[in-house]
Amino acid sequence: MREFYGTKLSNALMLGTAQYPSPAILADAFKRSGAGVATVSLRRESGADKEGQDFWALIRKLGVHVLPNTAGCHTVKEAVTTAQMAREVFGTAWIKLEVIGEEDTLHPDTFALVEAARILSEDGFQVFPYTTDDLVVAERLLRAGCEVLMPWGSPIGSGQGLNNVFGLRAMRAHFPDTPLVVDAGLGLPSQAAQVMELGFDAVLLNTAVAKAGDPAAMAEAFSLAVNAGQLAATADPMEPRDMAAPSTPVIGKAFLS
Amino acid sequence: MENVSIIGSGVAGLCVARALLDRGVKLRLFERGEGIGSHACSWWAGGMLAPYCESESAEEPVFRLGKESAEWWDKHTGEVHRNGTLVVSLERDHADLRRFKRRTENSIDVGPDEIARLEPDLGDRFTKGLYFENEAHLSPRAALASLREKLILDGVDFIHEEVDPRVIAVDGLTVDCRGFAAKDALPDLRGVKGEMVILSSPDIELSRPVRLLHPRIPLYVVPRGDGVFMLGATMLESSTRSRISARSLLELLSAAYALNPAFGEAEILEIGVDSRPTFPDNLPRIQRDGNLIHVNGLYRHGFLLAPAMARMVAELIFDNSTPEMMHEHFN
């Protein structure tokens, strides 16, 4: 399994921490799924005095790797400042870098993303960039210092699944040594299984679990799917073919019975 | 019966006072500010008695216990309007309306004609909605004032003094209803910040709370009468009790504008900010430490749950029972 900046994850499921009915249910979701990473937003809740600290303390108590994010940032400057605060609050160099370029689709501003990734990488951050399946942008992000890529499946919170399987497959083939995470757009566990079957290293999601009627059960369902997909990928799946291929041989059988 | 002291005169403190008084206790009530005002979280409440709608995201006790509230408030204040709740969404968010229906009970599907009949000022704007006819609302400030007035008439001694509950508890049974200020004794407590706006618009009339579902910016509007409306409320993981962000204000006003553009011409009367005292499961708790009883964590359900919590405090003291929301593990 590929490592994330030298860290081996025990579980390929990464969960967001927003929108749950309560922090207690959030904790249940982590417990039942065994998710290895919790991503947490600092942008909205953070005033000048770090007023979200009671909630952040609950996140730390989950006992998983914390991946702070810059959700809600629209410029390089905002993202960099938020990342610096995140490092201070959580004592980690990890940052999920998100720079939004368009309000309706929450499409990343890939130009600002590359620039912010460069600044943060030079400052010692270990950047997890939220990007698209654009190979050129991906290349630029790696050149800017990123060692992980997080392409979207479809727009954040849409639950549309994988909009461009071809693009994701190309990305996997193009960057065989880079840890790849599909971040955003997943609505169902089967979609997460598909991500892992494509040979990706992890999935990151929030809404599909947090907004489910029973978030803890849905988290577990995603965890099972991720494990199934991961196992399938290592088992070298068969190639699809155009014609039927009977699983029992017909030659030698009495076919006129 | 011995004397009991209550600390805090927000919705929890006043409801507990009423419940204990009805059991014949002699009461004194300590409050930080003089009278009811913006220092109490309850001052900024929406005042929706909406157990059905809240059950969409809240846990079962909120629904069950919340159903006691309308009758209680009616009996003790006479301030309750029983006109139900209307839930609507914009065309593109109808999936949210379907989810809301699935996860709640007793909703009635309403189309454009029924919406127009219920709320003529929304009729042209929404084609689908849900009507919860068994819900109610009240004006929190009027309800608190009425409750308080009756307590004074019934002989409760209101003392304007900030006191340490542990010191007061030395003299006898004490109920700590200080809300977030009790974090010194209840370390699990966190604040969930809410921001809200009070508007005046002569162009719009609503008879009941209206909820506009939206994946990012859900909104409720509660009519206060005389063309006054409350818009609420954000939910942020923050214990700050001041400072509304420009973004929150923009979102609240934009959502109201989406509900009815006439809100664009409304006059802004007040902008409110406070932080809801909340435990990790977002459910309220009663905790007992000798002579000191804590009632806290009413989160966004102060008016909905305070009557039931007050009843349970009375049961704990007089009936020697262990109430449902009793939290045994005192840290």
Side-chain angles (χ1 to χ4, degrees):
Chain A
M1 195 178 164
R2 296 172 191 85
E3 294 184 352
F4 297 87
Y5 293 101
T7 298
K8 215 172 200 135
L9 295 179
S10 55
N11 186 311
L13 181 62
M14 304 180 172
L15 287 179
T17 55
Q19 306 183 73
Y20 288 79
S22 72
I25 291 173
L26 160 71
D28 267 359
F30 272 85
K31 213 167 154 191
R32 266 182 80 173
S33 66
V37 173
T39 175
V40 55
S41 156
L42 277 87
R43 180 73 190 162
R44 277 233 68 185
E45 287 79 13
S46 60
D49 309 322
K50 298 184 185 136
E51 292 136 348
Q53 51 184 312
D54 287 336
F55 181 69
W56 299 335
L58 292 171
I59 300 297
R60 281 194 211 95
K61 262 172 53 184
L62 295 172
V64 300
H65 295 282
V66 175
L67 174 59
N69 69 53
T70 64
C73 290
H74 292 76
T75 63
V76 173
K77 190 176 165 189
E78 280 177 292
V80 168
T81 312
T82 305
Q84 283 162 346
M85 196 180 97
R87 178 162 66 180
E88 203 182 306
V89 168
F90 288 104
T92 175
W94 280 16
I95 188 77
K96 178 189 152 183
L97 182 61
E98 188 176 316
V99 189
I100 296 303
E102 206 277 322
E103 267 307 308
D104 213 39
T105 58
L106 300 179
H107 193 291
D109 179 339
T110 48
F111 300 91
L113 182 70
V114 172
E115 173 65 5
R118 186 188 58 75
I119 293 170
L120 291 172
S121 297
E122 282 172 7
D123 191 17
F125 281 92
Q126 297 173 330
V127 179
F128 293 62
Y130 164 65
T131 181
T132 66
D133 44 45
D134 186 318
L135 295 180
V136 183
V137 173
E139 187 65 55
R140 297 286 168 122
L141 286 168
L142 295 181
R143 240 189 280 164
C146 298
E147 293 176 21
V148 174
L149 295 171
M150 302 215 293
W152 66 357
S154 52
I156 296 173
S158 70
Q160 294 283 340
L162 306 183
N163 262 355
N164 184 4
V165 176
F166 169 81
L168 293 174
R169 196 178 282 132
M171 203 162 188
R172 179 69 288 173
H174 209 83
F175 304 105
D177 302 322
T178 305
L180 298 179
V181 183
V182 164
D183 172 14
L186 300 186
L188 287 169
S190 51
Q191 297 155 355
Q194 193 186 2
V195 171
M196 299 307 289
E197 286 162 5
L198 290 171
F200 277 62
D201 300 278
V203 298
L204 197 164
L205 55 114
N206 191 157
T207 312
V209 165
K211 288 290 194 187
D214 184 343
M218 190 58 88
E220 187 183 347
F222 267 100
S223 173
L224 293 168
V226 163
N227 289 340
Q230 196 169 29
L231 191 59
T234 59
D236 190 16
M238 67 170 281
E239 296 294 334
R241 50 189 300 153
D242 290 339
M243 287 177 63
S247 46
T248 38
V250 284
I251 294 171
K253 264 194 175 176
F255 53 89
L256 287 176
S257 56
Chain B
M1 182 65 208
E2 58 186 315
N3 296 349
V4 176
S5 303
I6 295 174
I7 303 169
S9 65
V11 68
L14 294 180
C15 286
V16 169
R18 186 70 258 170
L20 295 186
L21 202 64
D22 290 347
R23 297 266 198 150
V25 176
K26 184 158 171 40
L27 280 178
R28 52 180 186 165
L29 196 152
F30 293 94
E31 57 185 359
R32 187 166 47 172
E34 184 147 346
I36 292 164
S38 61
H39 51 276
C41 210
S42 327
W43 185 251
W44 299 110
M48 291 183 292
L49 305 175
Y52 295 89
C53 285
E54 287 300 312
S55 72
E56 189 254 344
S57 58
E59 295 202 55
E60 189 273 340
V62 174
F63 174 59
R64 183 166 34 83
L65 300 174
K67 284 196 281 190
E68 297 175 23
S69 62
E71 200 184 319
W72 194 96
W73 285 107
D74 210 11
K75 180 179 164 196
H76 292 289
T77 70
E79 296 281 342
V80 175
H81 307 277
R82 293 170 184 264
N83 296 335
T85 303
L86 181 64
V87 181
V88 294
S89 78
L90 299 172
E91 206 77 34
R92 63 185 288 184
D93 302 323
H94 278 177
D96 289 308
L97 210 52
R98 288 195 294 275
R99 192 200 62 229
F100 202 90
K101 179 184 166 67
R102 228 170 37 235
R103 294 190 185 167
T104 52
E105 289 176 24
N106 280 15
S107 67
I108 300 167
D109 284 305
V110 286
D113 297 344
E114 287 125 316
I115 293 174
R117 193 174 45 77
L118 289 166
E119 298 293 356
D121 285 344
L122 300 179
D124 296 339
R125 308 192 46 77
F126 296 93
T127 57
K128 270 186 187 174
L130 298 170
Y131 177 45
F132 294 82
E133 58 180 348
N134 296 323
E135 296 193 328
H137 70 281
L138 51 70
S139 171
R141 296 176 190 179
L144 292 177
S146 158
L147 202 53
R148 182 192 170 88
E149 218 166 276
K150 277 194 197 149
L151 289 170
I152 292 171
L153 283 176
D154 290 343
V156 175
D157 192 10
F158 280 77
I159 302 164
H160 311 303
E161 198 182 319
E162 193 166 351
V163 290
D164 182 342
R166 285 165 304 183
V167 174
I168 302 298
V170 172
D171 295 335
L173 205 54
T174 301
V175 188
D176 180 350
C177 302
R178 288 178 298 156
F180 195 69
K183 188 168 166 66
D184 52 357
L186 306 169
D188 272 3
L189 215 52
R190 74 186 202 283
V192 179
K193 183 180 178 182
E195 299 150 311
M196 63 291 290
V197 180
I198 298 176
L199 295 176
S200 165
S201 167
D203 302 323
I204 301 171
E205 264 183 63
L206 296 175
S207 318
R208 55 184 60 74
V210 176
R211 294 179 183 227
L212 177 66
L213 303 183
H214 186 277
R216 273 183 262 168
I217 315 165
L219 172 86
Y220 62 74
V221 178
V222 189
R224 291 275 190 259
D226 297 326
V228 176
F229 301 90
M230 171 168 162
L231 315 181
T234 54
M235 304 266 281
L236 303 168
E237 289 289 347
S238 162
S239 52
T240 184
R241 306 186 59 183
S242 58
R243 297 202 296 268
I244 185 169
S245 73
R247 172 184 165 150
S248 294
L249 189 57
L250 266 170
E251 289 181 348
L252 284 171
L253 294 176
S254 303
Y257 187 82
L259 195 67
N260 188 329
F263 275 120
E265 302 303 319
E267 179 187 348
I268 295 180
L269 301 179
E270 288 178 67
I271 293 174
V273 183
D274 213 320
S275 194
R276 309 166 181 94
T278 311
F279 288 112
D281 55 5
N282 293 0
L283 289 172
R285 286 181 191 171
I286 296 170
Q287 289 183 218
R288 183 164 195 169
D289 185 11
N291 252 351
L292 188 56
I293 296 170
H294 294 275
V295 180
N296 218 315
L298 274 78
Y299 179 47
R300 57 179 272 160
H301 302 126
F303 283 80
L304 189 63
L305 297 183
M309 295 302 282
R311 168 177 61 74
M312 287 185 227
V313 171
E315 287 166 5
L316 173 69
I317 295 173
F318 295 97
D319 309 340
N320 230 357
S321 67
T322 304
E324 179 185 356
M325 301 316 283
M326 187 85 182
H327 190 73
E328 302 290 350
H329 312 287
F330 205 94
N331 22 27

